[in-house]
Amino acid sequence: MDYDVLILGGGIIGCAVAYEISKYNLNIAVIEKDYDIADDVALINTAMIYDGVESEDTLTARLERMGNKMMDTITAKFNVPFKRCGSLIIAQTDEEAAIIEKTYNRAIDRGTKDVLILEPKYIYEMEPNLNVHIEKGLYSKNTGVICPFDLALAYGEVAFDNGVKFRLEEEVIDIQPISKGFRVVTNKNKFTCKMVINTTPSENYSIVNEKKLEVNNNGGILKYILLDNNEKQKFSHALFMFNAKGERIYTLPTIEGDTVAAVSTKDNVNYNEVVDRISKITNGVDNMDVKMFLDWPFFDQPIVIDDSGIDDGLIQIKGKHYGQITMTPAIANIVCESVVSKMQCNLKKDFNDKRRESYKFREMSDEERKSIISVDEKYGKIICACEKVTEGEIVDAIRRPLGARTVEGVKRRTGAAFGNCQGAHCLNKIVSILARETNKKMTEIVKDSKNSNIVLYRIKEFDSM
Ligand SMILES: Cc1cc2nc3c(=O)[nH]c(=O)nc-3n(C[C@H](O)[C@H](O)[C@H](O)COP(=O)(O)OP(=O)(O)OC[C@H]3O[C@@H](n4cnc5c(N)ncnc54)[C@H](O)[C@@H]3O)c2cc1C
């Protein structure tokens, strides 16, 4: 067999599973069709770590709570920014107050102890910037905020350092059963393996055809804006409003100090309506503060870890859910237990549970800056002035395990080009560093996928670029 375990899909779930099972004596590979891992997480995410209180489905709530509880340990170990900000569900009408009562009773019935119903005066004390009418609030202390791509990357990097092979830019076409295992057919290769963990269940592989999962999304659309750091609209908790139609409006303080404000709805609403609805919490949105406006399907399907094929060696993670980042550590642990019991494998003696160090110039003291520049002078050269990202950090992002090979890869790993100028001053420099470090021409460097080249042609007047 080529591999003991093949993980299909290098999203956050695939990377987390790879990390957990890389603790064991197994020959493992992750197959990912994109140029980078966890592309989707990087592109769209509201970065909230839920605590299960908001979830109507009890099993989903349990997975969220399990994952939520594991976050402190996992983020501290990997040096991933994570903060428990707590959340307030706010009711402005009697109807919404009834929803809060129901949510509170449901949480208590599930054994959740850390929820409280609060009168408005306490809520105004907790959030002095809240300038809207409140009937009642539900406080829950365990909700948090995270950098999801950093978490996915950390899982991937440590798995990579412990021998997991990442086969990027390779698309799985089919999974075929063979004696004592599977043949996984990609657009480039055919691999045999004893076990398959499929994190891409909506794909149409022949082995799963009978049980093909239709991704019927009834969750509507999530429309959200990213608001620049503005003292008047700064809240320290995640704030939610639920209405009887099942719509949610919420805001969340991001790790970087901005605010995500979102509306999940089945209505076809435009930007102005989104801002209107968000204003119910924020009491107005200044358009000048809006850095980004995005919409994306809002999924609330229950997540199923389907190990009905475990005797043959097949595990599938099915469903799409708005809280899947939260559930990731729990899902990875559950899958790992099934793999270990099926493969009868042992823990590796030389497993290295440490992520390689990295340095963030903008977060360092002057003393620390001096010291790192004395070791590598590239840390003394600022490439992105808005976000204070140095050449040293960009080179490290490229040379690290599972290093960046695209402009987006560099941006996500370092934060470069995310400032007010949105890369106007640094994108060309990033392309040039990528070309130098990967030994390519600048015209070969892509944004994030095939044919997304940034520099299309050489200007013929110059001999070199
Ligand atoms: C708008 C939005 C906001 C969200 N906000 C939050 C939040 O605040 N908190 C939270 O907890 N969760 C949140 N989520 C959920 C979370 O981001 C996703 O559910 C999670 O990223 C899913 O991870 P995954 O690994 O299961 O799937 P994916 O990220 O989809 O990974 C699957 C991977 O498989 C690859 N792939 C697919 N087909 C193939 C193939 N044939 N061959 C090889 N590779 C293949 C894909 O390229 C992809 O990288 C949000 C989701 C959305 C859409």
Side-chain angles (χ1 to χ4, degrees), residues 237-249:
H237 300 81
L239 303 178
F240 285 90
M241 278 176 61
F242 297 156
N243 67 18
K245 278 166 76 184
E247 291 176 340
R248 296 168 183 203
I249 305 169

Side-chain angles (χ1 to χ4, degrees), residues 8-15 31-34 36-41 44-50 64 148 170-173 199-200 203 205 222 224 250 252 295-299 317 319-328:
L8 314 190
I12 192 165
I13 301 280
C15 291
I31 307 182
E32 166 56 51
K33 67 178 162 62
D34 288 338
D36 204 350
I37 57 163
D39 241 4
D40 292 355
V41 177
I44 39 101
N45 208 280
T46 45
M48 173 121 52
I49 295 302
Y50 293 89
E64 282 186 348
E170 190 155 350
E171 182 163 3
V172 178
I173 310 290
T199 76
T200 67
E203 297 292 324
Y205 310 130
L222 184 73
Y224 60 104
Y250 59 91
L252 179 77
D295 61 42
W296 206 266
F298 181 77
F299 292 103
I317 293 126
K320 281 178 176 248
H321 191 272
Y322 64 84
Q324 222 165 324
I325 302 290
T326 310
M327 301 174 206
T328 295

Side-chain angles (χ1 to χ4, degrees), residues 8 10 20 24 38 48 97 101 156 170 173 181-182 203 212 215 257 273 370-371 425:
L8 314 190
E20 286 300 337
Y24 293 84
M48 173 121 52
E101 293 279 353
E170 190 155 350
I173 310 290
F182 301 95
E203 297 292 324
K212 192 185 161 200
V215 183
E273 182 114 11
K370 260 191 224 157
S371 130
H425 293 107

Side-chain angles (χ1 to χ4, degrees), residues 401-420:
L402 275 179
R405 295 179 310 140
T406 62
V407 172
E408 284 300 320
V410 168
K411 285 171 62 181
R412 287 163 199 168
R413 284 165 178 79
T414 62
F418 280 116
N420 280 344

Side-chain angles (χ1 to χ4, degrees), residues 362-405:
R362 63 181 170 277
E363 291 169 10
M364 293 165 103
S365 66
D366 282 350
E367 273 314 303
E368 289 167 332
R369 287 173 179 172
K370 260 191 224 157
S371 130
I372 186 129
I373 293 167
S374 70
V375 177
D376 182 348
E377 62 185 24
K378 292 194 186 73
Y379 282 90
K381 188 169 169 193
I382 297 277
I383 299 295
C384 166
C386 303
E387 297 294 307
K388 293 197 183 59
V389 179
T390 63
E391 183 176 1
E393 289 160 270
I394 294 175
V395 170
D396 177 60
I398 299 166
R399 292 187 188 168
R400 289 174 75 75
L402 275 179
R405 295 179 310 140

Side-chain angles (χ1 to χ4, degrees), residues 79 112 116 128 152 191 197 201 206 230 249 258 288 368 374 402 416:
N79 203 12
T112 308
L116 282 176
F191 300 111
I197 299 165
S206 54
N230 173 339
I249 305 169
D258 298 330
M288 291 298 285
E368 289 167 332
S374 70
L402 275 179

